[in-house]
Amino acid sequence: MLEKKFYDTLFAHSFSIPVLVTYWDGDTQRYGTGDEAPLSVTFKKPVALAAVIKNASLALGEAYMRGDLTVTGGTRPLQRLLTAAYQSQDSFMKAPWLRRFIPKQSHSEKTSKQDIAAHYDLGNDFYKLWLDDTMTYSCAYFDDWHEDLTHAQKNKVEHILRKLNPQPDRTFLDIGCGWGTLMLRAATEYHLNVTGITLSEEQFKYVNQRIKALGLEDRATVLLCDYRELDHAPYDYVTSVGMFEHVGKENLGLYFQDVAKLLKPNGTALIHGITRQQGGATNAWLTKYIFPGGYVPGLSENIDHITAAGLEVADLEPLRRHYQRTLEIWDHNFNAKRNLIQSHFDYQFVRMWDLYLQAAAASFESGNIDVIQYLLTKGASGHGLPLTREYMYD
């Protein structure tokens, strides 16, 4: 009885849409506002109050993974539910007293390699099942809401490279190069001498294979190393996509200092990463199950570190809606191969990844998080770039 009363209080003002919650004893209560068809949340068994109070995101996320908690109603019901929770000002999702426990993090070189391996070394075959043909695992850039994902990912790569205004035969570094799409496009279409670095052995092997297949051995190199270990001559251009979310709050200043060190005087960098406009944050469930070591920095936090490193901002572009759409397509692709993925992993794994993809989409949809491209110069802002932004879209 105490548990139901607790949940009744918890959900009373937590949703901006109608939600029907069916408890473990069959009792159903309606929460939220509006006239649309309600979502249905079912507790097959109670989730311990102590666990919810310790960290609601972690406790309820684990309950969903086990199948003790289900959410139904239309397409991407988890995304709709969590978006509604983020949009409600009095939601339990925003209550500090339900985030008492946050897993400890370490961002040493050894731990960072282990963290990256835990996520990115699940296997190239796994990611091939639901990413697009370019194997790009970051926010796409859409011309319109219904654009094909492969085209939108190519748009994103092109958008990044155009912002740099790169000149042929200059040097280019991609920190956290993923499966190599950006660096190899820079080599083949912009005729740059490129280097990519990654901590993922699976990505390292894949990029090496692509370099050989494209005959780019004289123009492209991939290194398996931490960005803090890189001891090369500075580069004309530096990019880093989806990287600083992994370095940790305590290392953000050092990260931007390293970007500055790796740039030649008056060099240009494009840093693309998930950012909270409301300030930095971690999430216990994501830290434990999806991105160990993950920390989403705040916008003002990043700007402080950028300027302290001697870099100047030439352009900022928020891409929140683009990442929402990217994640929605990824989740659609993932669920289209759900049975196959479950046969290689297990029931909890597919529920965990479905929750991750829909929860991330909800977080972007609601504005809880954003993704921002920072165009930076080592020297006076915009040095070497055209006077207006028209060149980015020409």
Side-chain angles (χ1 to χ4, degrees), residues 180-346:
T181 303
L182 174 61
M183 61 176 280
L184 297 179
R185 177 76 175 175
T188 57
E189 298 301 321
Y190 289 85
H191 309 292
L192 298 172
N193 298 306
V194 306
T195 301
I197 60 172
T198 179
L199 287 176
S200 166
E201 294 188 8
E202 289 289 309
Q203 291 178 343
F204 173 73
K205 288 185 284 188
Y206 184 88
V207 177
N208 258 323
Q209 290 169 359
R210 291 193 66 193
I211 289 172
K212 292 174 183 177
L214 292 168
L216 291 173
E217 292 93 336
D218 63 335
R219 193 175 280 275
T221 303
V222 61
L223 303 173
L224 183 65
C225 72
D226 190 288
Y227 70 97
R228 291 165 288 191
E229 298 174 348
L230 199 59
D231 185 21
H232 283 58
Y235 297 82
D236 295 293
Y237 311 105
V238 172
T239 58
S240 183
V241 178
M243 169 62 191
F244 64 54
E245 304 96 308
H246 297 286
V247 306
K249 181 178 179 65
E250 72 276 18
N251 287 333
L252 268 174
L254 295 173
Y255 166 80
F256 284 108
Q257 288 173 31
D258 281 329
V259 169
K261 290 175 185 175
L262 291 165
L263 271 176
K264 291 180 180 179
N266 297 316
T268 309
L270 191 291
I271 310 300
H272 168 124
I274 299 173
T275 307
R276 286 191 86 241
Q277 296 208 22
Q278 306 90 329
T282 58
N283 179 278
W285 184 82
L286 281 171
T287 297
K288 183 173 181 180
Y289 290 103
I290 303 297
F291 288 115
Y295 171 75
V296 177
L299 176 59
S300 60
E301 183 179 10
N302 277 341
I303 295 298
D304 285 345
H305 289 308
I306 286 166
T307 56
L311 300 168
E312 295 199 6
V313 177
D315 188 81
L316 286 180
E317 184 176 10
L319 299 175
R320 176 186 63 80
R321 290 175 294 171
H322 294 268
Y323 218 157
Q324 174 194 339
R325 185 60 183 146
T326 304
L327 283 152
E328 289 173 354
I329 297 173
W330 284 346
D331 189 65
H332 171 81
N333 294 346
F334 180 88
N335 278 292
K337 299 293 178 66
R338 188 180 185 114
N339 291 337
L340 177 59
I341 293 169
Q342 185 168 320
S343 71
H344 287 286
F345 295 92
D346 59 29

Side-chain angles (χ1 to χ4, degrees), residues 40-101:
S40 295
V41 177
T42 302
F43 284 86
K44 295 183 179 179
K45 59 176 67 174
V47 182
L49 298 190
V52 175
I53 293 170
K54 188 176 181 181
N55 192 291
S57 174
L58 180 59
L60 295 174
E62 289 179 335
Y64 183 84
M65 287 166 56
R66 294 191 301 267
D68 295 342
L69 174 64
T70 62
V71 182
T72 57
T75 305
R76 294 189 298 275
L78 280 166
Q79 180 181 342
R80 287 182 60 214
L81 179 73
L82 292 169
T83 298
Y86 281 125
Q87 288 175 339
S88 176
Q89 292 302 311
D90 298 318
S91 171
F92 75 94
M93 296 284 286
K94 299 180 179 180
W97 64 277
L98 294 174
R99 293 194 299 270
R100 296 179 181 180
F101 166 75

